[in-house]
Amino acid sequence: MSDFLIINVVIPLVQIGVLLGILGLAAGYIVLAERKVLAFIQSRLGPMRVGPHGLLQPIADSLKLLLKEDLIPGSADKLLYVASPVIVVAMAFTALAMIPFGQGITLLGYHIPGVIADVNVGILLILGISGLTTYGIILGGWSSNSKYPLLGAMRAAAQMVSYEIALTFAVLAGLMVAGTLSMVGIVEAQRDMGVWFVFIQPVAWGIFTIAMVAETNRAPFDMAEAESELVGGFFTEYSGMRWALFFLGEYTAMLVIAAVNVTLFWGGWMRPFPNVEALAFLDVVPSGIWFLLKVTSFLYFYMWIRGTFPRYRYDQLMALNWKSLIPLSILNLLVTGVVMLLLA
Amino acid sequence: MSTIVSSAPSSSAPEKTFLERFLLVELLKGMWLTLKYTFRPKVTVQYPLERESVHPNYRGILRVDESTCIACYLCEKICPDKCIHLEGERGYTKGKGGKYATYFYIDHARCLFCGLCEEVCPVDSIYHSNEYEAAVYNRVDAVHDLQILDSGHNIIHYER
């Protein structure tokens, strides 16, 4: 087998296989972690009965969902109804390909990079692909041919399109400092500058963090689901495995956007204070572990704020975005540009 | 529209400064609160594995002390649900004279746990125990006879 084939076909396929295999299980355990964190915040214990401390709960849940009857409402648009969960999951998984999980390792003489596809416009591609998730949501809501899904889908679409502006402007501020669009390049830029971008662009990070919660339709911006108002939001009519696919898509999207946050603002796979020689012993921990630690803290942050804040009203949600976040992000962009011009 | 949005009742809370609003101070306070609760002891009782003890005055399943009952029928008379049935006769049994109950049935499916029988009993023979796991698979099983009432042996503890 030629080296070309191994480097360009075999290694990516193995990476994809490993990633999808881990992710399928990980999404279930993120759900379990969320239930546990929410329970702990509310002085409860959460799932305890399936396995020790409920550790087998995700497996029981997914088995149950797999075995459920596959229902399609009679009045639904069958093709779109079936397609939309797939769109959501496929888009979330595709975005994962551009995430650099680590430095990469050398195995059997071949260098295995920590990223599946080191695209030179990686972050743009991620933003574009996660924007496409909106299609899955709005088609799912519309094809159900039911009022709550439709309302949920409308809200989701409006919200995601609006918050994408603030999100993109915040990303742009980080990119101006990095000087590259490649996800790997962004991490390397932070290594070369010796500082994580969160310390250079704290405002952009704040905007990104707020917008990323809204972008993934999570509480307190979960207007798309809004259990108390819209029954179940855009996937009210979904059940069984299709519903689970929506769930998988949502949690994968959380993972992706948290990974983007870590890569862009928190130094990706690097250990804390990469330029301080005294902390070199931290290099014992593999880069992938540092990355996972950072992403996990963001996932905890997601659950933490879900357990803390009540849902925004729809007009408050829009006002927050259009009146605060977008002007602030543009101002931040402007200040960044001026400062860079003066320093250059 | 803007009047509707801003029509929240004007609270006496002091107006936030710009910095407080910008740095989301109130939100951070809320997150600190939930963080504290995350590490507090949990209130959940894992029911079948651990049971909370009930108050001594708790009115649980009725029990009858067969050796003290004098078959005076007061409990049967006062029972609002007519769920107590007993029959007694005079004679010597179990080493004591006077009246004693020959049979005694309490239908717990009808009992409203009012405690009147316990109150009216002159010899404190009938009493509410602290047992609360009274679920049965068959209505007939809710009717306890004298042997069960005396020993309480048919209480099925829920295990899993």
Side-chain angles (χ1 to χ4, degrees):
Chain A
M1 211 181 329
S2 68
D3 276 2
F4 179 83
L5 208 61
I6 289 180
I7 290 168
N8 287 302
V9 179
V10 176
I11 288 178
L13 277 181
V14 169
Q15 284 176 322
I16 291 168
V18 169
L19 192 61
L20 288 189
I22 292 174
L23 205 71
L25 205 62
Y29 276 93
I30 296 171
V31 176
L32 176 68
E34 170 145 37
R35 290 176 64 181
K36 279 285 187 190
V37 168
L38 288 179
F40 273 46
I41 284 173
Q42 295 161 1
S43 293
R44 295 184 288 116
L45 286 170
M48 288 291 282
R49 302 312 300 276
V50 190
H53 286 258
L55 278 178
L56 298 177
Q57 187 74 41
I59 294 159
D61 283 348
S62 42
L63 272 179
K64 173 232 175 193
L65 287 168
L66 272 168
L67 295 174
K68 263 185 104 166
E69 189 187 351
D70 184 25
L71 281 175
I72 298 179
S75 58
D77 186 317
K78 303 253 172 347
L79 181 66
L80 291 181
Y81 185 86
V82 173
S84 49
V86 180
I87 295 176
V88 171
V89 172
M91 291 311 150
F93 277 166
T94 315
L96 266 179
M98 272 74 71
I99 306 288
F101 286 90
Q103 251 166 340
I105 45 171
T106 305
L107 207 66
L108 304 173
Y110 293 103
H111 177 71
I112 300 172
V115 54
I116 294 175
D118 184 11
V119 187
N120 56 2
V121 289
I123 196 149
L124 272 189
L125 202 51
I126 290 175
L127 288 177
I129 287 172
S130 48
L132 284 178
T133 315
T134 321
Y135 278 105
I137 288 173
I138 201 163
L139 286 179
W142 178 78
S143 65
S144 302
N145 202 0
S146 169
K147 54 181 177 283
Y148 293 124
L150 185 62
L151 282 171
M154 301 289 275
R155 284 181 176 192
Q159 172 186 335
M160 288 174 82
V161 168
S162 312
Y163 272 86
E164 215 142 82
I165 303 171
L167 189 85
T168 314
F169 275 134
V171 167
L172 214 54
L175 291 181
M176 283 169 77
V177 186
T180 172
L181 285 168
S182 153
M183 292 290 273
V184 178
I186 290 166
V187 179
E188 279 164 357
Q190 291 178 74
R191 187 188 60 204
D192 296 342
M193 290 172 72
V195 60
W196 294 353
F197 288 162
V198 66
F199 300 114
I200 301 178
Q201 291 284 5
V203 178
W205 175 73
I207 294 167
F208 187 93
T209 307
I210 295 170
M212 82 175 187
V213 179
E215 186 68 12
T216 44
N217 286 323
R218 294 274 309 174
F221 304 112
D222 57 341
M223 299 305 299
E225 289 177 52
E227 295 93 341
S228 48
E229 304 158 29
L230 298 180
V231 190
F234 59 91
F235 48 62
T236 305
E237 301 289 348
Y238 282 87
S239 65
M241 210 48 223
R242 298 187 202 290
W243 180 84
L245 279 181
F246 267 127
F247 230 61
L248 182 63
E250 179 184 329
Y251 280 86
T252 313
M254 271 167 68
L255 209 64
V256 168
I257 206 87
V260 172
N261 197 332
V262 166
T263 308
L264 190 55
F265 293 106
W266 291 93
W269 66 73
M270 286 187 295
R271 64 176 164 87
F273 305 106
N275 52 341
V276 179
E277 283 301 319
L279 289 171
F281 65 90
L282 288 174
D283 283 332
V284 178
V285 181
S287 56
I289 302 291
W290 282 119
F291 184 79
L292 283 182
L293 269 179
K294 291 174 190 176
V295 171
T296 314
S297 5
F298 268 105
L299 291 178
Y300 179 78
F301 173 78
Y302 265 116
M303 298 159 191
W304 187 4
I305 60 170
R306 178 175 172 191
T308 307
F309 303 130
R311 186 181 306 121
Y312 272 70
R313 214 170 52 207
Y314 194 66
D315 60 305
Q316 291 172 331
L317 181 90
M318 283 299 170
L320 174 70
N321 182 45
W322 292 99
K323 290 184 186 166
S324 309
L325 292 186
I326 291 181
L328 195 61
S329 56
I330 294 175
L331 192 70
N332 183 48
L333 215 56
L334 194 72
V335 173
T336 309
V338 169
V339 170
M340 284 180 75
L341 201 66
L342 292 177
L343 288 181
Chain B
M1 186 63 198
S2 60
T3 50
I4 298 170
V5 172
S6 60
S7 66
S10 54
S11 61
S12 56
E15 192 72 14
K16 309 268 181 312
T17 63
F18 173 75
L19 205 63
E20 276 177 341
R21 286 158 63 109
F22 185 77
L23 294 176
L24 310 174
V25 173
E26 296 293 320
L27 297 190
L28 292 178
K29 276 184 195 167
M31 290 178 77
W32 173 241
L33 185 76
T34 45
L35 190 67
K36 276 193 296 188
Y37 267 87
T38 308
F39 298 106
R40 280 203 188 166
K42 306 292 169 262
V43 297
T44 309
V45 177
Q46 298 270 296
Y47 162 59
L49 306 177
E50 53 187 56
R51 292 176 164 81
E52 293 230 307
S53 57
V54 293
H55 192 271
N57 284 3
Y58 180 79
R59 296 203 288 258
I61 294 171
L62 281 167
R63 293 268 184 83
V64 174
D65 188 354
E66 191 185 352
S67 60
T68 54
C69 179
I70 54 170
C72 64
Y73 298 97
L74 278 176
C75 49
E76 184 180 341
K77 283 209 173 66
I78 204 161
C79 180
D81 291 342
K82 306 276 181 284
C83 69
I84 303 176
H85 299 281
L86 72 144
E87 207 62 61
E89 64 181 37
R90 233 166 254 287
Y92 287 91
T93 182
K94 289 165 191 164
K96 77 178 170 80
K99 248 182 131 183
Y100 61 92
T102 48
Y103 76 79
F104 205 125
Y105 288 100
I106 298 179
D107 186 354
H108 277 100
R110 295 180 67 173
C111 178
L112 70 102
F113 301 95
C114 60
L116 284 176
C117 49
E118 185 182 29
E119 243 173 78
V120 83
C121 184
V123 289
D124 291 345
S125 174
I126 187 165
Y127 64 100
H128 281 285
S129 66
N130 283 350
E131 293 289 346
Y132 48 86
E133 285 157 320
V136 285
Y137 286 103
N138 197 318
R139 280 187 202 188
V140 177
D141 295 340
V143 182
H144 294 177
D145 64 13
L146 189 54
Q147 200 194 351
I148 298 169
L149 287 169
D150 191 59
S151 57
H153 67 74
N154 80 326
I155 303 290
I156 306 158
H157 284 288
Y158 180 73
E159 286 301 339
R160 51 163 278 114

